[in-house]
Short mmCIF file of all heavy atoms in Angstrom, two decimals:
data_model
loop_
_atom_site.label_atom_id
_atom_site.label_comp_id
_atom_site.label_asym_id
_atom_site.label_seq_id
_atom_site.Cartn_x
_atom_site.Cartn_y
_atom_site.Cartn_z
N GLN H 464 9.31 -6.38 -3.03
CA GLN H 464 10.43 -7.11 -2.44
C GLN H 464 10.86 -8.17 -3.43
O GLN H 464 10.13 -9.14 -3.67
CB GLN H 464 10.07 -7.75 -1.11
CG GLN H 464 11.26 -8.43 -0.46
CD GLN H 464 10.90 -9.26 0.74
OE1 GLN H 464 9.88 -9.93 0.76
NE2 GLN H 464 11.74 -9.24 1.77
N ALA H 465 12.03 -7.98 -4.03
CA ALA H 465 12.59 -9.01 -4.89
C ALA H 465 13.32 -10.03 -4.02
O ALA H 465 13.64 -9.75 -2.86
CB ALA H 465 13.54 -8.37 -5.91
N ALA H 466 13.57 -11.20 -4.58
CA ALA H 466 14.19 -12.29 -3.83
C ALA H 466 15.50 -11.84 -3.19
O ALA H 466 16.39 -11.32 -3.88
CB ALA H 466 14.44 -13.48 -4.75
N GLY H 467 15.61 -12.02 -1.86
CA GLY H 467 16.84 -11.71 -1.17
C GLY H 467 17.12 -10.22 -1.01
O GLY H 467 18.23 -9.83 -0.63
N ARG H 468 16.13 -9.41 -1.25
CA ARG H 468 16.35 -7.97 -1.18
C ARG H 468 15.34 -7.32 -0.26
O ARG H 468 14.38 -7.95 0.20
CB ARG H 468 16.29 -7.35 -2.57
CG ARG H 468 17.27 -8.00 -3.54
CD ARG H 468 17.31 -7.28 -4.87
NE ARG H 468 17.87 -5.93 -4.72
CZ ARG H 468 18.07 -5.12 -5.75
NH1 ARG H 468 17.74 -5.50 -6.95
NH2 ARG H 468 18.57 -3.92 -5.58
N GLY H 469 15.54 -6.04 0.02
CA GLY H 469 14.64 -5.31 0.90
C GLY H 469 13.42 -4.82 0.17
O GLY H 469 13.13 -5.19 -0.96
N LEU H 470 12.68 -3.96 0.83
CA LEU H 470 11.43 -3.42 0.31
C LEU H 470 11.74 -2.15 -0.48
O LEU H 470 12.21 -1.15 0.07
CB LEU H 470 10.51 -3.12 1.48
CG LEU H 470 9.02 -3.23 1.28
CD1 LEU H 470 8.62 -4.55 0.70
CD2 LEU H 470 8.31 -3.00 2.60
N GLN H 471 11.47 -2.18 -1.76
CA GLN H 471 11.81 -1.07 -2.64
C GLN H 471 10.55 -0.29 -3.02
O GLN H 471 9.57 -0.88 -3.49
CB GLN H 471 12.50 -1.60 -3.89
CG GLN H 471 12.91 -0.53 -4.90
CD GLN H 471 13.47 -1.12 -6.17
OE1 GLN H 471 13.01 -2.14 -6.65
NE2 GLN H 471 14.49 -0.47 -6.72
N LEU H 472 10.58 1.01 -2.85
CA LEU H 472 9.45 1.85 -3.24
C LEU H 472 9.44 1.99 -4.76
O LEU H 472 10.43 2.39 -5.37
CB LEU H 472 9.55 3.22 -2.58
CG LEU H 472 8.48 4.25 -2.93
CD1 LEU H 472 7.10 3.74 -2.52
CD2 LEU H 472 8.78 5.58 -2.27
N LEU H 473 8.30 1.66 -5.36
CA LEU H 473 8.17 1.76 -6.82
C LEU H 473 7.44 3.05 -7.22
O LEU H 473 7.93 3.80 -8.06
CB LEU H 473 7.37 0.56 -7.35
CG LEU H 473 7.94 -0.83 -7.05
CD1 LEU H 473 6.99 -1.90 -7.57
CD2 LEU H 473 9.33 -0.98 -7.64
N PHE H 474 6.26 3.26 -6.67
CA PHE H 474 5.44 4.43 -7.01
C PHE H 474 4.73 4.93 -5.76
O PHE H 474 4.44 4.16 -4.85
CB PHE H 474 4.36 4.06 -8.05
CG PHE H 474 4.88 3.52 -9.33
CD1 PHE H 474 4.95 2.15 -9.52
CD2 PHE H 474 5.28 4.37 -10.35
CE1 PHE H 474 5.43 1.62 -10.71
CE2 PHE H 474 5.76 3.85 -11.54
CZ PHE H 474 5.83 2.47 -11.72
N TYR H 475 4.44 6.23 -5.76
CA TYR H 475 3.53 6.73 -4.75
C TYR H 475 2.65 7.81 -5.36
O TYR H 475 2.99 8.39 -6.39
CB TYR H 475 4.27 7.24 -3.50
CG TYR H 475 5.06 8.51 -3.66
CD1 TYR H 475 4.53 9.74 -3.31
CD2 TYR H 475 6.38 8.46 -4.11
CE1 TYR H 475 5.27 10.90 -3.41
CE2 TYR H 475 7.12 9.61 -4.23
CZ TYR H 475 6.57 10.83 -3.87
OH TYR H 475 7.32 11.98 -3.99
N SER H 476 1.52 8.04 -4.70
CA SER H 476 0.53 8.97 -5.23
C SER H 476 -0.10 9.76 -4.08
O SER H 476 -0.50 9.18 -3.08
CB SER H 476 -0.56 8.21 -5.99
OG SER H 476 -1.63 9.05 -6.32
N VAL H 477 -0.18 11.07 -4.26
CA VAL H 477 -0.78 11.92 -3.23
C VAL H 477 -2.17 12.37 -3.64
O VAL H 477 -2.84 13.08 -2.87
CB VAL H 477 0.11 13.14 -2.92
CG1 VAL H 477 1.47 12.68 -2.40
CG2 VAL H 477 0.28 14.02 -4.15
N GLY H 478 -2.64 11.98 -4.84
CA GLY H 478 -3.98 12.34 -5.26
C GLY H 478 -4.32 11.69 -6.58
O GLY H 478 -3.47 11.10 -7.26
N ILE H 479 -5.58 11.79 -6.97
CA ILE H 479 -6.06 11.20 -8.22
C ILE H 479 -5.22 11.70 -9.40
O ILE H 479 -5.02 12.92 -9.54
CB ILE H 479 -7.54 11.53 -8.46
CG1 ILE H 479 -8.41 10.90 -7.37
CG2 ILE H 479 -8.00 11.03 -9.84
CD1 ILE H 479 -9.87 11.29 -7.45
N GLY H 480 -4.73 10.76 -10.18
CA GLY H 480 -3.96 11.11 -11.37
C GLY H 480 -2.55 11.57 -11.11
O GLY H 480 -1.80 11.85 -12.04
N GLN H 481 -2.14 11.65 -9.84
CA GLN H 481 -0.79 12.12 -9.49
C GLN H 481 0.07 10.91 -9.11
O GLN H 481 -0.17 10.29 -8.08
CB GLN H 481 -0.83 13.10 -8.32
CG GLN H 481 -1.66 14.34 -8.59
CD GLN H 481 -1.70 15.26 -7.38
OE1 GLN H 481 -0.67 15.72 -6.92
NE2 GLN H 481 -2.88 15.51 -6.86
N ILE H 482 1.05 10.61 -9.94
CA ILE H 482 1.90 9.45 -9.73
C ILE H 482 3.35 9.89 -9.76
O ILE H 482 3.78 10.60 -10.68
CB ILE H 482 1.71 8.39 -10.84
CG1 ILE H 482 0.21 8.05 -11.02
CG2 ILE H 482 2.53 7.16 -10.55
CD1 ILE H 482 -0.39 7.38 -9.82
N SER H 483 4.11 9.45 -8.75
CA SER H 483 5.55 9.68 -8.73
C SER H 483 6.25 8.32 -8.82
O SER H 483 5.92 7.40 -8.08
CB SER H 483 5.97 10.38 -7.43
OG SER H 483 5.42 11.66 -7.37
N SER H 484 7.18 8.24 -9.77
CA SER H 484 7.92 7.00 -9.98
C SER H 484 9.29 7.13 -9.32
O SER H 484 9.97 8.14 -9.51
CB SER H 484 8.08 6.75 -11.48
OG SER H 484 8.92 5.63 -11.70
N GLU H 485 9.64 6.11 -8.56
CA GLU H 485 10.91 6.16 -7.85
C GLU H 485 12.06 5.50 -8.60
O GLU H 485 13.20 5.87 -8.44
CB GLU H 485 10.76 5.48 -6.47
CG GLU H 485 9.94 6.29 -5.51
CD GLU H 485 10.62 7.63 -5.20
OE1 GLU H 485 11.71 7.65 -4.64
OE2 GLU H 485 10.04 8.68 -5.57
N VAL H 486 11.74 4.49 -9.39
CA VAL H 486 12.79 3.72 -10.04
C VAL H 486 12.39 3.46 -11.49
O VAL H 486 11.30 2.99 -11.75
CB VAL H 486 13.00 2.36 -9.33
CG1 VAL H 486 14.17 1.62 -9.96
CG2 VAL H 486 13.23 2.54 -7.85
N PRO H 487 13.26 3.79 -12.44
CA PRO H 487 12.94 3.49 -13.84
C PRO H 487 12.78 1.99 -14.02
O PRO H 487 13.61 1.22 -13.56
CB PRO H 487 14.17 3.99 -14.62
CG PRO H 487 14.96 4.79 -13.67
CD PRO H 487 14.58 4.40 -12.28
N GLN H 488 11.72 1.58 -14.69
CA GLN H 488 11.50 0.15 -14.79
C GLN H 488 10.41 -0.13 -15.80
O GLN H 488 9.92 0.77 -16.46
CB GLN H 488 11.07 -0.39 -13.43
CG GLN H 488 9.83 0.30 -12.90
CD GLN H 488 9.77 0.25 -11.39
OE1 GLN H 488 10.13 -0.74 -10.77
NE2 GLN H 488 9.37 1.34 -10.78
N ASN H 489 10.01 -1.37 -15.83
CA ASN H 489 9.06 -1.88 -16.81
C ASN H 489 7.63 -1.74 -16.33
O ASN H 489 6.72 -2.29 -16.95
CB ASN H 489 9.40 -3.36 -17.05
CG ASN H 489 8.59 -3.96 -18.15
OD1 ASN H 489 8.37 -3.34 -19.17
ND2 ASN H 489 8.12 -5.18 -17.92
N LEU H 490 7.40 -1.03 -15.24
CA LEU H 490 6.08 -0.97 -14.64
C LEU H 490 5.53 0.45 -14.69
O LEU H 490 6.29 1.41 -14.82
CB LEU H 490 6.15 -1.44 -13.18
CG LEU H 490 6.72 -2.83 -12.95
CD1 LEU H 490 6.98 -3.04 -11.46
CD2 LEU H 490 5.76 -3.89 -13.47
N SER H 491 4.21 0.54 -14.53
CA SER H 491 3.56 1.85 -14.43
C SER H 491 2.47 1.75 -13.37
O SER H 491 2.05 0.65 -12.99
CB SER H 491 2.97 2.28 -15.77
OG SER H 491 1.97 1.36 -16.18
N ALA H 492 2.02 2.90 -12.90
CA ALA H 492 0.95 2.93 -11.90
C ALA H 492 -0.07 3.98 -12.30
O ALA H 492 0.24 4.95 -12.99
CB ALA H 492 1.54 3.24 -10.53
N SER H 493 -1.29 3.75 -11.85
CA SER H 493 -2.36 4.72 -12.10
C SER H 493 -3.26 4.81 -10.88
O SER H 493 -3.38 3.85 -10.10
CB SER H 493 -3.17 4.33 -13.34
OG SER H 493 -3.79 3.07 -13.15
N ARG H 494 -3.89 5.95 -10.74
CA ARG H 494 -4.83 6.17 -9.63
C ARG H 494 -6.08 6.80 -10.23
O ARG H 494 -6.24 8.02 -10.24
CB ARG H 494 -4.22 7.08 -8.57
CG ARG H 494 -5.11 7.25 -7.34
CD ARG H 494 -4.36 7.97 -6.24
NE ARG H 494 -5.20 8.19 -5.06
CZ ARG H 494 -4.74 8.70 -3.93
NH1 ARG H 494 -3.47 9.03 -3.81
NH2 ARG H 494 -5.56 8.87 -2.92
N PRO H 495 -6.97 5.95 -10.73
CA PRO H 495 -8.17 6.46 -11.40
C PRO H 495 -9.22 7.00 -10.43
O PRO H 495 -10.04 7.84 -10.82
CB PRO H 495 -8.70 5.24 -12.16
CG PRO H 495 -8.16 4.07 -11.40
CD PRO H 495 -6.85 4.49 -10.84
N GLN H 496 -9.21 6.53 -9.21
CA GLN H 496 -10.14 7.01 -8.19
C GLN H 496 -9.37 7.28 -6.90
O GLN H 496 -8.24 6.81 -6.73
CB GLN H 496 -11.24 5.97 -7.92
CG GLN H 496 -12.07 5.62 -9.13
CD GLN H 496 -13.15 4.60 -8.80
OE1 GLN H 496 -13.86 4.73 -7.81
NE2 GLN H 496 -13.26 3.59 -9.63
N ASP H 497 -9.99 7.99 -5.99
CA ASP H 497 -9.29 8.44 -4.78
C ASP H 497 -8.69 7.28 -3.99
O ASP H 497 -7.59 7.42 -3.44
CB ASP H 497 -10.27 9.21 -3.88
CG ASP H 497 -9.61 9.72 -2.62
OD1 ASP H 497 -8.49 10.27 -2.72
OD2 ASP H 497 -10.20 9.58 -1.53
N ARG H 498 -9.39 6.15 -3.92
CA ARG H 498 -8.94 5.05 -3.08
C ARG H 498 -8.58 3.81 -3.88
O ARG H 498 -8.64 2.69 -3.36
CB ARG H 498 -10.02 4.73 -2.04
CG ARG H 498 -10.19 5.85 -1.01
CD ARG H 498 -11.42 5.67 -0.15
NE ARG H 498 -12.64 5.83 -0.93
CZ ARG H 498 -13.86 5.62 -0.43
NH1 ARG H 498 -14.01 5.21 0.81
NH2 ARG H 498 -14.93 5.79 -1.18
N GLN H 499 -8.21 3.99 -5.11
CA GLN H 499 -7.84 2.87 -5.97
C GLN H 499 -6.47 3.13 -6.59
O GLN H 499 -6.21 4.21 -7.16
CB GLN H 499 -8.88 2.68 -7.09
CG GLN H 499 -8.62 1.48 -7.98
CD GLN H 499 -9.64 1.39 -9.12
OE1 GLN H 499 -10.22 2.40 -9.51
NE2 GLN H 499 -9.83 0.20 -9.65
N PHE H 500 -5.60 2.13 -6.51
CA PHE H 500 -4.24 2.25 -7.02
C PHE H 500 -3.94 1.00 -7.81
O PHE H 500 -4.16 -0.10 -7.33
CB PHE H 500 -3.26 2.41 -5.86
CG PHE H 500 -1.99 3.14 -6.18
CD1 PHE H 500 -1.90 4.02 -7.24
CD2 PHE H 500 -0.87 2.97 -5.38
CE1 PHE H 500 -0.74 4.72 -7.51
CE2 PHE H 500 0.31 3.67 -5.65
CZ PHE H 500 0.38 4.54 -6.71
N ILE H 501 -3.46 1.17 -9.06
CA ILE H 501 -3.27 0.04 -9.95
C ILE H 501 -1.83 0.00 -10.42
O ILE H 501 -1.27 1.03 -10.81
CB ILE H 501 -4.22 0.12 -11.16
CG1 ILE H 501 -5.68 0.08 -10.68
CG2 ILE H 501 -3.95 -1.01 -12.14
CD1 ILE H 501 -6.69 0.36 -11.78
N LEU H 502 -1.23 -1.17 -10.38
CA LEU H 502 0.12 -1.38 -10.89
C LEU H 502 0.02 -2.20 -12.16
O LEU H 502 -0.65 -3.24 -12.18
CB LEU H 502 0.97 -2.12 -9.85
CG LEU H 502 2.44 -2.33 -10.21
CD1 LEU H 502 3.19 -1.01 -10.17
CD2 LEU H 502 3.09 -3.33 -9.25
N SER H 503 0.69 -1.75 -13.23
CA SER H 503 0.53 -2.39 -14.53
C SER H 503 1.85 -2.59 -15.22
O SER H 503 2.85 -1.93 -14.91
CB SER H 503 -0.37 -1.53 -15.44
OG SER H 503 -1.61 -1.27 -14.85
N SER H 504 1.81 -3.50 -16.18
CA SER H 504 2.92 -3.65 -17.11
C SER H 504 2.35 -4.12 -18.44
O SER H 504 1.41 -4.90 -18.47
CB SER H 504 3.95 -4.65 -16.60
OG SER H 504 4.93 -4.90 -17.61
N LYS H 505 2.92 -3.66 -19.52
CA LYS H 505 2.46 -4.10 -20.84
C LYS H 505 3.12 -5.43 -21.21
O LYS H 505 2.51 -6.28 -21.84
CB LYS H 505 2.77 -3.04 -21.89
CG LYS H 505 1.97 -1.77 -21.73
CD LYS H 505 2.29 -0.77 -22.86
CE LYS H 505 1.45 0.48 -22.69
NZ LYS H 505 1.77 1.51 -23.72
N LYS H 506 4.38 -5.58 -20.81
CA LYS H 506 5.12 -6.81 -21.12
C LYS H 506 6.04 -7.16 -19.96
O LYS H 506 7.06 -6.48 -19.72
CB LYS H 506 5.97 -6.63 -22.39
CG LYS H 506 5.17 -6.54 -23.68
CD LYS H 506 6.10 -6.49 -24.89
CE LYS H 506 5.29 -6.43 -26.18
NZ LYS H 506 6.18 -6.41 -27.38
N LEU H 507 5.73 -8.22 -19.25
CA LEU H 507 6.51 -8.60 -18.07
C LEU H 507 7.88 -9.15 -18.45
O LEU H 507 8.06 -9.83 -19.47
CB LEU H 507 5.75 -9.65 -17.26
CG LEU H 507 4.58 -9.12 -16.44
CD1 LEU H 507 3.74 -10.28 -15.92
CD2 LEU H 507 5.08 -8.25 -15.30
N LEU H 508 8.85 -8.86 -17.57
CA LEU H 508 10.19 -9.40 -17.67
C LEU H 508 10.41 -10.37 -16.52
O LEU H 508 9.72 -10.31 -15.49
CB LEU H 508 11.23 -8.28 -17.58
CG LEU H 508 11.10 -7.13 -18.57
CD1 LEU H 508 12.09 -6.02 -18.21
CD2 LEU H 508 11.31 -7.61 -19.98
N LEU H 509 11.40 -11.25 -16.66
CA LEU H 509 11.72 -12.17 -15.57
C LEU H 509 12.03 -11.39 -14.29
O LEU H 509 11.67 -11.81 -13.19
CB LEU H 509 12.92 -13.04 -15.94
CG LEU H 509 12.68 -14.14 -16.97
CD1 LEU H 509 14.00 -14.81 -17.34
CD2 LEU H 509 11.69 -15.18 -16.44
N SER H 510 12.71 -10.26 -14.43
CA SER H 510 13.13 -9.47 -13.28
C SER H 510 11.96 -8.80 -12.56
O SER H 510 12.15 -8.20 -11.51
CB SER H 510 14.13 -8.40 -13.72
OG SER H 510 13.58 -7.57 -14.73
N ASP H 511 10.76 -8.89 -13.12
CA ASP H 511 9.58 -8.31 -12.45
C ASP H 511 9.04 -9.24 -11.36
O ASP H 511 8.16 -8.85 -10.59
CB ASP H 511 8.47 -8.01 -13.45
CG ASP H 511 8.84 -6.88 -14.41
OD1 ASP H 511 9.50 -5.92 -13.95
OD2 ASP H 511 8.48 -6.96 -15.60
N SER H 512 9.54 -10.45 -11.29
CA SER H 512 9.10 -11.38 -10.24
C SER H 512 9.40 -10.80 -8.87
O SER H 512 10.43 -10.16 -8.65
CB SER H 512 9.83 -12.72 -10.39
OG SER H 512 9.46 -13.37 -11.57
N GLY H 513 8.47 -11.04 -7.95
CA GLY H 513 8.68 -10.54 -6.59
C GLY H 513 7.38 -10.48 -5.84
O GLY H 513 6.33 -10.91 -6.32
#
Side-chain angles (χ1 to χ4, degrees):
Chain H
Q464 184 189 38
R468 304 187 67 177
L470 210 53
Q471 181 185 37
L472 178 61
L473 302 177
F474 301 95
Y475 70 96
S476 170
V477 299
I479 296 174
Q481 300 178 60
I482 308 295
S483 295
S484 174
E485 288 297 296
V486 184
Q488 57 206 321
N489 186 41
L490 303 169
S491 62
S493 61
R494 185 171 178 174
Q496 300 180 48
D497 181 46
R498 292 169 293 175
Q499 184 184 25
F500 206 23
I501 298 172
L502 184 71
S503 304
S504 173
K505 292 182 179 178
K506 290 185 179 181
L507 285 168
L508 305 172
L509 287 174
S510 57
D511 292 323
S512 294

